[in-house]
Amino acid sequence: MVELKTDTSIEAMYAAGQVVGQALTAVRKAADVGVSLQELDEVAREVLRGAGATSPFLGYRPSFAPVPFPAVICASVNDAIVHGIPTGYRLRDGDLVSIDCGAELDGWVGDSAISFTVGRARPADVRLIETAERALAAGIEAAVVGNRIGDIAHAIGSVCRTAGYGVPDGFGGHGVGRKMHEDPSVPNEGLPGQGLPLRHGMVLAVEPMLVASGKDGYHAAADGWTLVTNDGSRAAHTEHTVAITRSGPRILTAR
């Protein structure tokens, strides 16, 4: 069931989304060669505490997970696509990092992700991240009243495939609101004009995931959470929480 949010609820979600944006900005600023992923998680925790927000990630345990998620950010490095658990790993020169973060404030959730490089960036990584951001922008542009979920999916997938990148099957965006994951699902590939019609008040997490090699295969790492590419190629992940409104898409997690 898809819940349509009132304009008042969307404003409340915007407040939660701004906390997420602040956390991601702080994490990006703190990320440097030699900094551990656990230290980045603590940076995000401090932002959430300061805003009076909690984390929808911490303690989250979907059916596939062997243990509850132990952090407030997902920190996925190099060949990790999503869901990376922050560990004591210290960032190295040239690492490609994807950070996913959520915040719950006054009962409403915001969810967003960024990818960036640390130290000297590889040109191939820069292109991958730029394409992920273009795919996110294309998906958001398609998130208008009168379109359908398939239009968002097609916009994202077209950017990714045209650039020669892989798109992990079965993972994509989702509805968001009182919970981090709500209906509907928002695939990263699809047919235009297909799927659920987009209506004023729908709020979606739009989140492209790209694999540099052009292959789609992935598997779960030993921790049961982190999804990594099968061929060891690098991945990027971007995301915004977006409200569908009569005046156009509104990014609630804008940084």
Side-chain angles (χ1 to χ4, degrees):
M1 178 178 174
V2 177
E3 177 191 0
L4 298 179
K5 279 70 176 180
T6 66
D7 292 347
T8 300
S9 297
I10 290 173
E11 289 300 326
M13 292 191 69
Y14 177 79
Q18 292 310 288
V19 177
V20 177
Q22 292 164 15
L24 288 173
T25 298
V27 169
R28 176 67 185 90
K29 184 177 180 180
D32 202 353
V33 175
V35 176
S36 76
L37 301 181
Q38 288 173 336
E39 288 169 340
L40 295 183
D41 184 68
E42 184 53 42
V43 168
R45 287 176 189 251
E46 184 60 30
V47 173
L48 296 183
R49 282 194 292 265
T54 58
S55 170
F57 289 17
L58 185 63
Y60 180 62
R61 189 179 184 181
S63 59
F64 68 80
V67 296
F69 197 76
V72 305
I73 62 170
C74 296
S76 306
V77 181
N78 296 332
D79 65 339
I81 306 168
V82 287
H83 301 165
I85 294 176
T87 65
Y89 174 85
R90 295 192 176 276
L91 295 172
R92 301 172 184 172
D93 188 44
D95 276 348
L96 194 166
V97 185
S98 296
I99 302 292
D100 193 354
C101 184
E104 183 173 345
L105 183 67
D106 296 328
W108 294 101
V109 174
D111 188 10
S112 185
I114 56 173
S115 288
F116 55 86
T117 56
V118 173
R120 291 169 293 184
R122 300 180 183 183
D125 290 344
V126 173
R127 290 193 298 271
L128 179 66
I129 293 169
E130 288 177 345
T131 305
E133 292 172 346
R134 285 196 294 110
L136 176 60
I140 293 171
E141 186 177 0
V144 296
V145 173
N147 272 0
R148 293 176 177 266
I149 291 290
D151 294 304
I152 299 176
H154 179 71
I156 293 171
S158 295
V159 171
C160 299
R161 295 299 189 187
T162 298
Y165 296 126
V167 179
D169 184 46
F171 281 86
H174 48 87
V176 61
R178 292 287 185 181
K179 298 179 181 179
M180 180 168 56
H181 292 126
E182 297 183 351
D183 291 334
S185 63
V186 186
N188 285 330
E189 279 193 295
L191 296 174
Q194 302 295 310
L196 190 71
L198 302 180
R199 299 171 59 190
H200 178 87
M202 292 175 67
V203 180
L204 308 174
V206 180
E207 53 178 320
M209 304 168 195
L210 287 67
V211 177
S213 66
K215 298 180 180 179
D216 302 347
Y218 61 89
H219 62 276
D223 62 22
W225 270 101
T226 309
L227 300 183
V228 297
T229 62
N230 283 345
D231 57 7
S233 61
R234 295 191 170 200
H237 173 212
T238 56
E239 178 184 19
H240 269 310
T241 297
V242 181
I244 312 297
T245 77
R246 295 184 187 92
S247 56
R250 182 183 179 189
I251 301 173
L252 304 183
T253 47
R255 294 178 288 276

